[in-house]
Amino acid sequence: MSSNGSYNLTVDGELRYLVQWFGEWSDFQREDFVPYLMSYLLQQTGGTVYMNGLINAMAQIHPGQDKPMSLFQCRVKLFNEWCIKWPEEFKTKLLERLEQIDSTFGTRIRTELDDTTKRTNGCVEETGTQLPNELVLGEMAEAQEPAGVIVNAEASLIAPNAILVADED
């Protein structure tokens, strides 16, 4: 223990604590942990991480000021502080250890990781699709030309039995 009362853990010790905590968490807490875990697993070294449209730094826990943080929130906060300094190989190591505790959870995380890596700019890449060649594109354009063009069309709605009233100036 250092003179300021804090413990100096190794990164291996931090990982062991997280794995132990995961084993103690309920299914609901594990679900609450998913966005933080996914953010960590998807983060690139030195890059900003986006998760569900949020920057990783914005996705931190901010409990109400009138009540203290729960034990779960404290542990997730520690995970967020620790994982930024963990070596890259810890991602695989962590996921393997979590799978040993809960194989269903591990399968779900791997599926989400696979789905996320297939997304590009919010669109899912479909495998096995090809763009048609230029000849086919030309034929499609000729077949789908509009019959006419409407310019300056205004939508108007007149109620049945409408009465026009003149303004008196």
Side-chain angles (χ1 to χ4, degrees), residues 12-169:
D12 287 320
E14 293 169 350
L15 181 67
R16 281 193 305 273
Y17 268 117
L18 182 68
V19 171
Q20 177 185 344
W21 297 337
F22 182 82
E24 298 169 1
W25 288 342
S26 69
D27 290 339
F28 292 117
Q29 289 171 321
R30 289 177 184 182
E31 282 300 310
D32 289 344
F33 181 63
V34 168
Y36 300 99
L37 178 62
M38 291 296 295
S39 178
Y40 165 65
L41 294 173
L42 292 172
Q43 106 187 51
Q44 302 297 318
T45 306
T48 303
V49 179
Y50 292 91
M51 183 68 181
N52 295 329
L54 297 175
I55 298 174
N56 189 26
M58 295 173 62
Q60 295 179 7
I61 297 174
H62 294 290
Q65 295 190 14
D66 57 338
K67 62 181 181 177
M69 292 173 62
S70 69
L71 180 60
F72 172 74
Q73 290 172 323
C74 288
R75 288 175 171 179
V76 171
K77 183 177 183 288
L78 283 172
F79 167 71
N80 283 332
E81 292 171 4
W82 291 344
C83 71
I84 57 175
K85 63 181 182 208
W86 287 354
E88 191 69 22
E89 65 269 10
F90 268 39
K91 291 178 182 180
T92 305
K93 194 183 235 185
L94 174 61
L95 190 52
E96 288 172 356
R97 291 200 181 158
L98 297 182
E99 282 177 317
Q100 290 172 353
I101 296 170
D102 185 346
S103 61
T104 305
F105 181 86
T107 302
R108 176 178 171 224
I109 295 299
R110 287 198 187 271
T111 302
E112 284 193 34
L113 285 171
D114 290 343
D115 290 347
T116 303
T117 55
K118 289 179 185 175
R119 294 181 191 276
T120 306
N121 293 329
C123 300
V124 177
E125 295 177 6
E126 294 184 26
T127 56
T129 58
Q130 293 180 340
L131 292 174
N133 62 28
E134 291 179 25
L135 177 63
V136 174
L137 283 175
E139 292 170 3
M140 288 173 55
E142 290 173 9
Q144 295 180 356
E145 292 208 16
V149 177
I150 300 173
V151 179
N152 289 335
E154 290 184 23
S156 60
L157 178 64
I158 300 176
N161 303 331
I163 301 173
L164 295 176
V165 178
D167 282 342
E168 295 179 28
D169 287 325

